Amino acid sequence: MSHKIAVVTLGCPKNVVMSEQMIYRLEKAGYTMVAGYSEAEIIILNTCSFIDSAKAEAVENILELLKFKDDGTLKKLIVVGCLAENVREQITEEFPDVDGIAGCGSYDNIVEIVESALRDEHPAVFGDINAPVTECGRTRLTAWYSAYVRIAEGCNNRCSYCIIPSLRGSFRSREEDAIVRECEELAADGVKELNIIAQDITRYGEDLEGKSLATLLRRLAKIDGIEWIRLHYLYPASVTDELIEVIRTEPKICKYLDIPIQHCNDGILKAMNRRGTKADILALIKKLRERIPGVILRTSIIVGLPGETDEIFEELCEFMKEVRFERAGVFTYSPQEGTVAAALPDQVDEEVAEHRRELLYELQDRIMTNYYDSLVGKTFRVLCEGYDRIAETSFGRTYADSPDIDGKVFFKATPRPRDGDFVEVTIDENYEGELFGSLAQKGENA
């Protein structure tokens, strides 16, 4: 009988894809994958280490999972991914009961790592984080109709606050043909929504001759069966006119753009080692809204970076009021050892930074409430995702809602649509950030 393995995934969608590939390799090697921890003889914890809260979550999971070894069911716990890459010695010293660790350059070796751990060899494997991206099948963990497509690995942006390049390596694009083949296979398997991900998808193809994100998207938009293509993590300074035109003209590409700007103040942007200025960001937002009707803009903001004064924070608040992003995540700066920003002067007090985050979050919440109110009476195409038995309503997402990030639309429908179906829903109410609607009458349009 083969050993039973469970994979626990923390962090971003890129980690989801890495877990899917590990599961595929393990299944091919004859292992049995299980969902419940209590059934597992081996647990692989795929970790994040981007900021302090991610590290804390990973450590909490290690401590919790080690408890399963006490009852004798769990034989081995293996920690892989960003935390292992970042603090390999600490894991070995602080958690001697962890049976193996592997860094971000060693996902491909998961079968050998598991076999080594089963031999009580306590493997610690750290491969080349700058190696070319390996093509590999995967066993998907997402809903059958939606998939993440990782088009590159690593990052070359070198933002001063970010540890990712030292964990994931430099930017490497996957071959365009390999991505297209994968997406064709996903479509043949019934997938309707492709979520395009990388640390920075706008750099795609810069290391390949004659390739770019625009050329890739044109090919993906031609795949039969794919209905939505969603773009995540576009670096603002790299959004070209050609890319904007492809997004504008290809109906399958969701008019939803995830563009982390991180801040608006020129001094802070320079301290972050971000390319571009506040004027550049404003010009890009203006261009996107003029050229792509109905575009939804998501961003992320970091408050409390060294040098951010009360006046600079007020400038950021005024900027957010002016731009009115439909979606925004607000984060407190988290100093990471080894980054440039961690050594900058004028560090901001943690309590001050957290207070600023709360203020900006409240401001953005009011902006989003106004946005949701503006949707009442409009009709949208909704991808059905399930049924809430307590509320007795179906729910799903519009083009403006990314999976596991944004909200959902709840609606009553008889007969009940199946998960993965598209229906037209008219928004009837915004109730505390939740949208409620009903099936559209024929002739209504978004």
Side-chain angles (χ1 to χ4, degrees):
M1 182 182 295
S2 67
H3 291 287
K4 296 179 180 179
I5 301 180
V7 175
V8 180
T9 307
L10 307 178
C12 66
K14 292 180 287 296
N15 264 12
V16 173
V17 173
M18 303 313 294
S19 289
E20 292 174 338
Q21 292 183 342
M22 285 194 294
I23 292 170
Y24 174 86
R25 292 179 189 276
L26 291 163
E27 287 177 331
K28 287 291 184 183
Y31 292 97
T32 300
M33 308 308 298
V34 296
Y37 308 157
S38 59
E39 303 173 60
E41 300 167 85
I42 304 162
I43 293 180
I44 298 169
L45 177 63
N46 190 8
T47 60
C48 178
S49 187
F50 179 48
I51 55 178
D52 288 345
S53 59
K55 291 180 189 174
E57 182 185 23
V59 169
E60 288 170 9
N61 272 264
I62 292 172
L63 292 170
E64 189 64 30
L65 293 172
L66 283 172
K67 293 177 183 177
F68 286 93
K69 296 185 77 173
D70 294 339
D71 64 13
T73 304
L74 181 64
K75 292 181 173 64
K76 304 294 178 184
L77 173 62
I78 299 170
V79 178
V80 304
C82 289
L83 184 76
E85 187 73 43
N86 191 14
V87 292
R88 57 185 79 175
E89 291 84 6
Q90 286 178 250
I91 295 175
T92 303
E93 293 171 3
E94 296 180 22
F95 304 105
D97 289 336
V98 168
D99 301 282
I101 58 175
C104 297
S106 302
Y107 283 112
D108 295 353
N109 307 110
I110 191 61
V111 173
E112 294 88 343
I113 291 164
V114 167
E115 290 171 350
S116 177
L118 287 170
R119 294 192 296 267
D120 296 325
E121 294 173 350
H122 286 80
V125 184
F126 296 90
D128 182 5
I129 60 173
N130 291 302
V133 181
T134 304
E135 294 301 328
C136 176
R138 54 180 168 143
T139 300
R140 287 198 298 113
L141 300 172
T142 52
W144 65 267
Y145 48 81
S146 181
Y148 293 113
V149 179
R150 184 182 60 127
I151 65 173
E153 183 55 89
C155 189
N156 286 348
N157 289 323
R158 306 289 171 179
C159 300
S160 69
Y161 52 83
C162 184
I163 199 172
I164 292 298
S166 64
L167 303 180
R168 295 281 190 172
S170 58
F171 187 89
R172 293 99 69 207
S173 301
R174 290 176 61 197
E175 291 293 335
E176 187 179 88
D177 287 346
I179 298 171
V180 173
R181 280 196 302 272
E182 178 185 30
C183 293
E184 288 172 343
E185 291 169 0
L186 289 169
D189 199 35
V191 168
K192 300 179 180 182
E193 177 185 40
L194 303 177
N195 296 284
I196 309 302
I197 58 172
Q199 204 64 42
D200 171 10
I201 65 173
T202 54
R203 279 190 181 268
Y204 177 78
E206 67 176 16
D207 50 346
L208 304 173
E209 187 173 349
K211 305 299 182 184
S212 67
L213 181 59
T215 66
L216 174 63
L217 291 176
R218 287 194 185 98
R219 292 184 66 183
L220 297 185
K222 291 183 172 66
I223 299 175
D224 291 337
I226 298 301
E227 301 199 40
W228 278 356
I229 300 173
R230 191 180 299 279
L231 309 181
H232 279 287
Y233 321 127
L234 296 98
Y235 195 100
S238 301
V239 178
T240 64
D241 287 343
E242 180 189 19
L243 179 58
I244 293 172
E245 185 63 12
V246 171
I247 296 168
R248 185 184 73 82
T249 56
E250 291 290 355
K252 290 184 180 181
I253 299 178
C254 292
K255 310 320 178 203
Y256 171 108
L257 305 179
D258 189 345
I259 308 178
I261 65 165
Q262 310 303 5
H263 213 282
C264 74
N265 175 266
D266 287 348
I268 296 297
L269 290 171
K270 185 176 181 180
M272 287 179 163
N273 197 33
R274 300 282 291 181
R275 304 191 307 279
T277 64
K278 178 180 181 180
D280 295 329
I281 295 170
L282 287 169
L284 174 62
I285 293 168
K286 183 174 184 289
K287 183 187 294 185
L288 291 171
R289 290 204 161 131
E290 286 177 349
R291 295 191 185 178
I292 308 174
V295 70
I296 299 298
L297 299 181
R298 163 171 279 285
T299 197
S300 61
I301 300 292
I302 299 174
V303 299
L305 197 92
E308 185 187 66
T309 62
D310 289 342
E311 291 76 17
I312 289 174
F313 176 68
E314 183 61 31
E315 177 188 352
L316 176 61
C317 292
E318 292 303 314
F319 173 88
M320 296 295 281
K321 291 177 188 176
E322 176 185 356
V323 172
R324 306 189 72 80
F325 288 105
E326 287 82 5
R327 307 271 190 262
V330 183
F331 304 92
T332 304
Y333 167 66
S334 176
Q336 300 300 303
E337 186 177 350
T339 61
V340 173
L344 289 175
D346 302 319
Q347 296 280 329
V348 176
D349 181 79
E350 286 184 23
E351 289 186 8
V352 172
E354 178 59 23
H355 181 58
R356 288 176 183 171
R357 188 198 67 80
E358 292 171 357
L359 291 174
L360 195 58
Y361 177 85
E362 291 171 2
L363 169 60
Q364 180 60 27
D365 187 58
R366 293 193 296 272
I367 291 170
M368 288 181 62
T369 296
N370 291 335
Y371 162 65
Y372 284 138
D373 286 343
S374 75
L375 302 182
V376 175
K378 295 181 179 178
T379 299
F380 295 92
R381 193 175 188 225
V382 170
L383 175 59
C384 299
E385 293 199 299
Y387 183 78
D388 187 323
R389 296 187 180 280
I390 297 176
E392 297 184 331
T393 62
S394 295
F395 59 84
R397 294 181 287 109
T398 73
Y399 80 96
D401 306 306
S402 186
D404 301 320
I405 297 177
D406 302 313
K408 299 184 184 300
V409 175
F410 296 85
F411 60 95
K412 291 187 181 292
T414 306
R416 201 173 91 200
R418 299 170 300 175
D419 293 1
D421 283 352
F422 282 96
V423 296
E424 299 291 321
V425 174
T426 300
I427 307 301
D428 298 323
E429 181 185 9
N430 167 32
Y431 179 72
E432 296 182 352
E434 299 281 7
L435 296 176
F436 294 85
S438 51
L439 287 186
Q441 300 299 312
K442 289 185 178 181
E444 292 182 346
N445 294 303

